[in-house]
Amino acid sequence: MSANPEESGNDISGVEIVLDHVSKTYPGQKVPAVADVSLTIPAGEIVVFVGPSGSGKTTTMRMINRLIEPTSGTITIGGRDALSLDANKLRQSIGYAIQQGGLFPHMTVSQNIAVVPKLLKWKRARISERVTELLDLVGLDPEQFGDRFPRQLSGGQQQRVGVARALAADPPVLLMDEPFGAVDPITRGLLQDELMQLQAELRKTIVFVTHDFNEAVKLGDRIAVLGDQSRVLQYDTPEAILANPANETVEGFVGRGAALQQLNLMRVRDVEIEHRPTAHEGDDVAEFSARIDTWGVILDDRDRPVRWTDREHLNGVTSLKGVGLPLGEIVTTASTLQDALEAILAERNAATVVTGARGRYVGVITIETLVDTIRSLREEHEGNPPIADPLAASDDVPEPTTEGPRR
Ligand code: ADP
Ligand code: MG
């Protein structure tokens, strides 16, 4: 974390949430849907509730913003007893995102995002400024999308708007109930990456519900594995749960081949990011060409990578606009090495471009870096069965050598 108050971007804005012996029995039911849950959710972390359908994840989550009132127990948010607060006020301070964004179909994207700020009686100009800022934050062009209706958006775009709406009044706490459950796997992976990127900037307290353990491993700072009636079977970091499942039920849920998840646990930001020459679309061609040894990256006016180019591409052209080749898959600093590996194998440069906050260019990650990382991971795991070689199927990968990792 930054000690400099000027760089407050990485300071924690979230607050701690404590569930203490919380239970819920729905009216007319004999058995509680949630029985005696106690959990502390640290400020500024993503805690994922993962468990099978019917295990009471949604019920537990909705007790935090009091869409459901607990039958017994206490919930403390940022040191205040949630049950003693006005329920409407409480809900305005907690962002809530659900599957398919939960958008109001008769409202435009902008109107959807403005719902809570309007309830809070913000001035019109402030609301419109905030809507623009949020659309930008979740990667949607405000001019293009602000006046559309939800039905005119793809599932992934609706989901982004749902996240923007949940963030509208800058709440310290965000509740997300299977928010990416209804989109295709590729979009889902992208949205997960974007959420992590956002969280690196925002540092809110996020409670995220899913029944997908891989999603939990990818997103969670901590994972609460929930059984029947939301009984907490294990509550720990993804690393600890993968290494030491508390019991057979958790083990079954984690699945076999946990060692393979190694690459899912390391992030692009954990390894060496290299640099390539960059230029903006309006820059001088000859000057850029002179700086390129192998290949370089062309950025748009918001520093987002758009295309890559080698020197041959630049022969005889007068402008960098449209030159070179489109970038394939891009990863973010928060992406897993597994994602990076897949992206690299799909690129003919044997490298993939890395972006940071708001899609801005950060650098590139190369196959050499990944091979080195995989090697050192293996060495750390000597004595354990070696992890399968994820590169074995690919032709264009250097033969393993006997030399050790570079670092
Ligand atoms: P999950 O989100 O893990 O799938 P839920 O919290 O939705 O689990 O449901 C937990 C249990 O509570 C389930 O058995 C479900 O049938 C029951 N339940 C959920 N909502 C209600 C309700 N409004 N009235 C009665 N029972 C409910
Ligand atoms: Mg649910």
Side-chain angles (χ1 to χ4, degrees), residues 53-54 56-59 177-178 209:
S53 176
K57 303 182 295 296
T58 294
T59 304
D177 194 349
E178 310 218 18
V209 159

Side-chain angles (χ1 to χ4, degrees), residues 52-124:
S53 176
S55 51
K57 303 182 295 296
T58 294
T59 304
T60 303
M61 171 173 273
R62 293 177 128 216
M63 287 193 279
I64 296 173
N65 63 359
R66 287 179 61 199
L67 284 169
I68 294 174
E69 298 285 349
T71 311
S72 60
T74 58
I75 296 177
T76 318
I77 301 176
R80 297 168 74 189
D81 176 4
L83 300 176
S84 71
L85 299 172
D86 175 73
N88 284 321
K89 289 240 168 66
L90 176 74
R91 281 199 283 274
Q92 286 162 11
S93 70
I94 299 180
Y96 186 48
I98 59 174
Q99 213 170 85
Q100 274 162 341
L103 303 177
F104 302 119
H106 58 287
M107 290 186 189
T108 64
V109 164
S110 294
Q111 287 165 341
N112 264 287
I113 296 173
V115 167
V116 174
K118 267 195 181 147
L119 283 172
L120 294 172
K121 301 204 161 42
W122 288 16
K123 294 237 163 62
R124 191 188 282 242

Side-chain angles (χ1 to χ4, degrees), residues 109 135 139-149 152-153 157:
V109 164
L135 281 171
L140 294 175
D141 180 353
E143 301 233 320
Q144 199 182 340
F145 291 97
D147 295 329
R148 291 201 194 171
F149 287 93
Q152 297 168 308
L153 305 181
Q157 289 164 345

Side-chain angles (χ1 to χ4, degrees), residues 297-339:
V297 183
I298 300 175
L299 312 177
D300 70 8
D301 55 3
R302 295 159 103 177
D303 290 338
R304 295 175 301 199
V306 278
R307 300 172 78 83
W308 68 268
T309 172
D310 59 23
R311 280 163 86 156
E312 268 162 40
H313 290 136
L314 299 179
N315 278 341
V317 303
T318 54
S319 152
L320 291 177
K321 209 167 167 62
V323 161
L325 293 170
L327 294 167
E329 277 183 61
I330 286 179
V331 298
T332 73
T333 50
S335 299
T336 63
L337 292 189
Q338 182 65 40
D339 291 337

